[in-house]
Amino acid sequence: MSTRHPHRLALLAVPSLLALAACSSPAAGSSDDASADGLTPVTVVLDWTPNTNHTGLYVALANGYFADQGLDVSIVQPPEDGAEALVASGSAQFGVSYQENVTQARQSDVPIVSIAAVIAHNTSGFASPVDRGITRPKDYEGHVYGGWGSPIEGAILSALVAGDGGDPSKVTNVDIGTTSVIQAFQRDIDLGWVFEGWDVPLAQEQGLDLNLQLVRDYDDALDWYTPVLISNEDVVADQPELAQSFVTAATQGYTYAIEHPAEAADLLLEQVPDLDAEQVHASQEYLADEYQSDSPEWGYQRDEVWSGFSTWLEENDIIDPGFDWASAYTNEFVEGVDDQA
């Protein structure tokens, strides 16, 4: 299983999103599309190859939660330009994305909406092998960071180094393309962006101990939602029952993963047998405490997270001023779960 960063697929793919949105196909998932067994076909497009961020969806599929809601769900992997393109075009009703991608897409009039936070807090950060001696952002000076060249990535790296009293110009930033960060550590980089719940267990399994600085520990605004479940504005406005049924089943799936991490890991592995079983089980144990964390319910999204990160993106010239963050997400369906489950 690769540890390549999923954001590389989708960040800044706005031109292609616009093109697809402009030639949107008719929305599927309506009652007219019901299959012979009476279930409504629904397509969910992932952000990357299957991993433990998606466990709740696979649990919902295996345990019949989607079927109980009248849905015949197909989980598919994303095209080159990401899940947002298929969801924006109406070719998929739901998908997995990130707060930053939803923000950038909506600034370009691409009509996608976040309908649930998969993980309550940002679990990503900058990691380095312990033999590099990097224990804080100022230590990044004089070292090589390997990333994927997005403006957000560079801005966050510079902000952390400067905020810790360092000089960002003394950090060499190289694009490692699709090379695994763990592999790149053994080649030519000192520092890379990882997800604590996925990359760290793999590194440990390979005997590589890492130092990690989670970005959320250095600025509250960097505790954004990554990943999120998305739909498009047409589904949210015109097919709210469909969205409610999907979110209800997904909630049941992630709740099961929180309460039964070992069994949830096995259900994911049964459906995606090429994954690394040891990594999946370790990751699932970690995420059991992170999916909901301190949120009032799984999937809930807070105003301050959307407003705070949007302001940070504006202040760092990643997006234009005046972004309407309040329209980019909804808790309508997460809050409606109790009535549907």
Side-chain angles (χ1 to χ4, degrees):
M1 174 64 190
S2 168
T3 61
R4 290 176 295 179
H5 200 290
H7 293 200
R8 289 174 184 149
L9 269 181
L11 276 171
L12 302 179
V14 170
S16 58
L17 289 177
L18 284 170
L20 278 168
C23 58
S24 168
S25 62
S30 68
S31 57
D32 293 341
D33 300 316
S35 59
D37 55 8
L39 301 179
T40 300
V42 165
T43 298
V44 182
V45 57
L46 304 180
D47 56 319
W48 190 240
T49 52
N51 58 67
T52 47
N53 284 347
H54 313 131
T55 300
L57 301 176
Y58 282 96
V59 168
L61 197 60
N63 285 355
Y65 302 149
F66 284 130
D68 290 344
Q69 292 294 321
L71 305 180
D72 178 13
V73 169
S74 298
I75 300 175
V76 303
Q77 295 189 33
E80 277 296 315
D81 39 15
E84 297 84 357
L86 287 183
V87 174
S89 71
S91 298
Q93 294 75 47
F94 304 101
V96 181
S97 182
Y98 318 94
Q99 181 176 339
E100 67 268 36
N101 284 23
V102 174
T103 298
Q104 291 178 304
R106 289 187 63 85
Q107 271 229 322
S108 298
D109 297 324
V110 176
I112 57 175
V113 179
S114 174
I115 57 174
V118 174
I119 302 174
H121 293 281
N122 187 350
T123 60
S124 70
F126 296 102
S128 58
V130 294
D131 62 9
R132 306 302 205 274
I134 300 172
T135 61
R136 53 188 288 182
K138 188 177 187 307
D139 294 339
Y140 301 171
E141 288 182 348
H143 287 95
V144 178
Y145 169 75
W148 61 100
S150 84
I152 292 177
E153 172 194 19
I156 291 176
L157 179 66
S158 295
L160 261 62
V161 172
D164 195 33
D167 182 353
S169 69
K170 295 181 179 178
V171 182
T172 301
N173 191 336
V174 301
D175 189 338
I176 62 172
T178 57
T179 303
S180 157
V181 171
I182 304 300
Q183 292 175 338
F185 283 146
Q186 301 167 10
R187 192 185 64 186
D188 55 4
I189 70 168
D190 303 306
L191 187 69
W193 195 313
V194 304
F195 280 85
E196 185 174 23
W198 186 250
D199 300 288
V200 173
L202 179 62
Q204 291 173 338
E205 183 183 335
Q206 297 179 359
L208 180 64
D209 291 327
L210 301 176
N211 286 327
L212 174 65
Q213 293 82 50
L214 294 175
V215 295
R216 73 188 191 200
D217 291 338
Y218 293 87
D219 189 333
D220 289 343
L222 299 181
D223 191 13
W224 74 90
Y225 293 122
T226 173
V228 296
L229 300 183
I230 60 171
S231 189
N232 67 50
E233 290 182 348
D234 287 343
V235 170
V236 170
D238 301 335
Q239 299 177 275
E241 298 85 0
L242 178 69
Q244 185 62 72
S245 296
F246 175 77
V247 172
T248 296
T251 300
Q252 292 174 313
Y254 281 100
T255 299
Y256 181 94
I258 292 169
E259 296 174 350
H260 309 284
E263 292 84 352
D266 288 338
L267 289 174
L268 175 61
L269 289 164
E270 287 175 7
Q271 296 172 87
V272 193
D274 59 332
L275 291 175
D276 183 313
E278 184 175 343
Q279 181 188 18
V280 167
H281 274 274
S283 178
Q284 211 61 69
E285 291 292 339
Y286 170 89
L287 286 175
D289 292 330
E290 296 290 338
Y291 284 133
Q292 181 175 339
S293 186
D294 57 356
S295 293
E297 55 234 330
W298 175 84
Y300 188 82
Q301 301 173 82
R302 302 178 189 274
D303 286 351
E304 57 266 33
V305 174
W306 276 92
S307 64
F309 189 50
S310 298
T311 299
W312 190 93
L313 292 172
E314 291 177 357
E315 291 174 346
N316 285 273
D317 299 322
I318 306 297
I319 62 174
D320 296 330
F323 175 64
D324 181 13
W325 53 266
S327 298
Y329 76 100
T330 177
N331 284 315
E332 172 185 354
F333 306 111
V334 167
E335 293 176 334
V337 167
D338 288 343
D339 297 331
Q340 296 291 320

